[in-house]
């Protein structure tokens, strides 16, 4: 039977199955094998382990796939191999750029090893993350990459019971669920307070977000600032303002207004994100407050726009590329049955000095 005639016959079979209401109403592996002139098991080998068949057979099967538009049933393959080639990644928000670098690096590194990423948004509440994790664990990915370390007791139990390799990111603890790539938020707060003190600032304030990681940064910043004498006389903490997560430029503008109403003598503000810092700078300049002469501003994230502001924004750089790449390598190693020598990796952070301080 000529190739075009054979293709017509295969298409006719598929059409008949669809009209008959069968679930297998699309092209199947058997259809691909028939069109390629090989056995179904040979077609399967060509698609899953191409090195196991001859170049001629591989070319015929690939041509049949191209003609039919066939997409392999990965669920069936996962059941047979117990590997899904999927890795689930969960971030608090997709609306901001903070975690974008990590997701891109994670995706690229996993893709190079033949894995695909399934991305989920958890929000900033454990209850939402619990429901999302239940759905993810039920699909049995080859790995799970999470943001932060504060899981509910229920989520932690289910992750441990699943046996799926887990990497927690963007935080630091000696007792992760499984593996971890991150940094200390408390150390960031302390380092920023010391940096501003060394720059001659003596009345500092903070604008943070309503999530645990930001609260720990602000708390450590406040404690160190008080220790260094950067709080009002007799005060046990510095002036601060908390806004909803994820943070926005508008949050930064309104927060600075509120801080100045309560503490008009502040000379520096540590912001929980570069987006907040941008809002602070816009509001300060609109109010006739010069930066950095009257008010120093420091952000977190080193987002793309920070170096292009006027003045350029001093900020805390988190290497999201390293986080994503390392998390991917951890997952790949464990998925292939290898051990990870150092399952807790502290990547640290860097204060990027620019002209806003």
């Amino acid at each position: 039977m000529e190739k075009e005639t054979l293709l017509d016959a295969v298409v006719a079979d598929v059409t008949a199955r669809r009209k008959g209401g069968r679930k297998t109403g699309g092209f199947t592996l058997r259809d691909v094998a028939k069109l390629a002139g090989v056995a179904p098991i040979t077609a399967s080998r060509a698609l899953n382990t191409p090195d196991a068949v001859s170049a001629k057979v591989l070319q015929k099967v690939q041509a049949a796939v191209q003609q039919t538009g066939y997409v392999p049933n990965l669920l069936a393959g996962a059941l047979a191999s117990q590997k899904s080639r999927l890795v689930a990644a969960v971030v608090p928000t997709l609306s901001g750029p903070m975690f974008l670098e990590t997701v891109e690096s994670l995706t690229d590194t996993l893709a190079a090893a033949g894995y695909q990423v399934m991305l989920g948004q958890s929000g900033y509440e454990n209850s939402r993350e619990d429901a999302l994790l239940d759905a993810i664990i039920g699909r049995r990915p080859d790995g799970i990459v999470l943001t932060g370390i504060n899981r509910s007791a229920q989520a932690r139990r289910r992750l441990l019971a699943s046996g799926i390799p887990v990497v927690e990111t963007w935080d630091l603890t000696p007792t992760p669920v499984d593996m971890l790539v991150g940094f200390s938020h408390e150390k960031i707060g302390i380092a920023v307070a010391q940096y501003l003190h060394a720059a001659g600032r003596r009345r500092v304030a903070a604008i943070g977000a309503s999530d645990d990681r930001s609260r720990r940064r602000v708390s450590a910043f406040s404690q160190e600032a008080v220790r260094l004498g950067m709080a009002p006389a007799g005060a046990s903490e510095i002036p601060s303002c908390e806004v909803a997560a994820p943070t926005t430029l508008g949050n930064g503008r309104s927060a600075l207004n509120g801080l100045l109403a309560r503490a008009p003598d502040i000379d520096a503000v540590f912001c929980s994100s570069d987006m907040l810092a941008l809002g602070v700078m816009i509001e300060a300049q609109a109010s006739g407050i010069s930066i950095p002469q009257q008010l120093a501003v420091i952000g977190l994230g080193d987002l793309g726009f920070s170096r292009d502001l006027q003045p350029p924004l001093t900020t805390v750089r988190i290497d999201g590329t390293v986080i994503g790449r390392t998390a991917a390598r951890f997952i790949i190693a464990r998925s292939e049955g290898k051990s990870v020598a150092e399952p807790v990796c502290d990547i640290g952070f860097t204060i990027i000095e620019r002209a806003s301080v």
Side-chain angles (χ1 to χ4, degrees):
M1 187 180 292
E2 293 183 1
K3 189 165 289 187
E4 287 299 324
T5 306
L6 183 56
L7 177 59
D8 289 341
V10 171
V11 170
D13 286 345
V14 171
T15 302
R17 290 201 299 268
R18 283 177 177 161
K19 288 181 177 179
R22 293 179 58 184
K23 289 183 179 179
T24 54
F27 287 102
T28 66
L29 180 64
R30 189 174 295 277
D31 296 324
V32 170
K34 183 177 180 180
L35 187 58
V38 299
I41 188 63
T42 303
S44 178
R45 287 196 190 100
L47 294 173
N48 296 308
T49 53
D51 292 340
V53 300
S54 69
K56 183 178 180 180
V57 167
L58 180 59
Q59 184 178 12
K60 290 165 68 176
V61 172
Q62 288 175 337
V65 168
Q66 186 69 27
Q67 286 179 290
T68 60
Y70 170 73
V71 177
N73 185 336
L74 298 179
L75 180 59
L79 290 172
S81 66
Q82 294 188 334
K83 294 189 72 174
S84 66
R85 312 301 293 184
L86 278 176
V87 173
V90 179
V91 294
T93 178
L94 299 173
S95 63
M98 182 69 81
F99 304 104
L100 181 60
E101 188 181 347
T102 296
V103 171
E104 288 182 343
S105 176
L106 176 75
T107 302
D108 290 346
T109 307
L110 287 169
Y115 293 82
Q116 299 300 320
V117 171
M118 176 173 59
L119 189 60
Q121 176 177 289
S122 64
Y124 288 89
E125 298 177 8
N126 278 344
S127 59
R128 283 186 60 184
E129 186 185 70
D130 287 353
L132 182 57
L133 285 177
D134 281 350
I136 288 171
I137 292 169
R139 284 162 176 77
R140 290 298 187 272
D142 288 339
I144 301 174
V145 179
L146 302 172
T147 305
I149 57 173
N150 284 327
R151 319 262 83 84
S152 70
Q154 171 182 289
R156 190 177 179 90
R157 281 195 303 271
R158 290 181 178 176
L159 287 166
L160 288 168
S162 74
I164 298 169
V166 175
V167 181
E168 293 169 292
T169 64
W170 279 78
D171 214 331
L172 196 64
T173 177
T175 57
V177 170
D178 187 5
M179 299 172 285
L180 182 144
V181 186
F183 53 91
S184 169
H185 292 274
E186 291 82 359
K187 287 183 179 179
I188 287 177
I190 292 169
V192 170
Q194 293 173 349
Y195 174 78
L196 290 173
H197 186 267
R201 304 295 167 165
R202 293 298 179 266
R203 285 293 176 265
V204 299
I207 303 174
S210 58
D211 69 89
D212 174 73
R213 291 180 296 279
S214 174
R215 286 169 177 156
R216 284 188 278 125
R217 281 196 303 273
V218 170
S219 176
F221 175 74
S222 179
Q223 291 175 37
E224 183 66 5
V226 170
R227 189 187 73 81
L228 292 170
M230 301 164 75
S236 60
E237 60 184 17
I238 61 167
S240 64
C241 179
E242 184 175 287
V243 301
T247 57
T248 66
L249 183 156
N251 290 151
R253 296 196 67 169
S254 59
L256 178 61
N257 262 326
L259 284 174
L260 290 173
R262 291 187 285 122
D265 63 338
I266 59 174
D267 61 4
V269 180
F270 173 37
C271 300
S272 191
S273 70
D274 283 356
M275 192 61 70
L276 278 176
L278 173 58
V280 166
M281 291 176 69
I282 290 174
E283 185 61 28
Q285 291 166 352
S287 302
I289 300 170
S290 60
I291 298 173
Q293 290 81 2
Q294 293 173 272
L295 184 70
V297 182
I298 182 167
L300 183 140
D302 194 26
L303 301 182
F305 64 77
S306 61
R307 66 180 65 86
D308 298 319
L309 298 177
Q310 186 56 43
L313 177 65
T314 297
T315 185
V316 180
R317 164 78 173 145
I318 306 299
D319 198 332
T321 296
V322 169
I323 292 177
R325 183 171 61 239
T326 306
R329 289 174 176 172
F330 281 4
I331 292 293
I332 293 166
R334 287 284 301 281
S335 182
E336 294 176 353
K338 301 173 184 175
S339 62
V340 174
E342 296 184 11
V344 175
C345 176
D346 182 356
I347 69 159
F349 57 89
T350 306
I351 295 178
I352 306 297
E353 300 185 49
R354 297 194 180 107
S356 67
V357 174

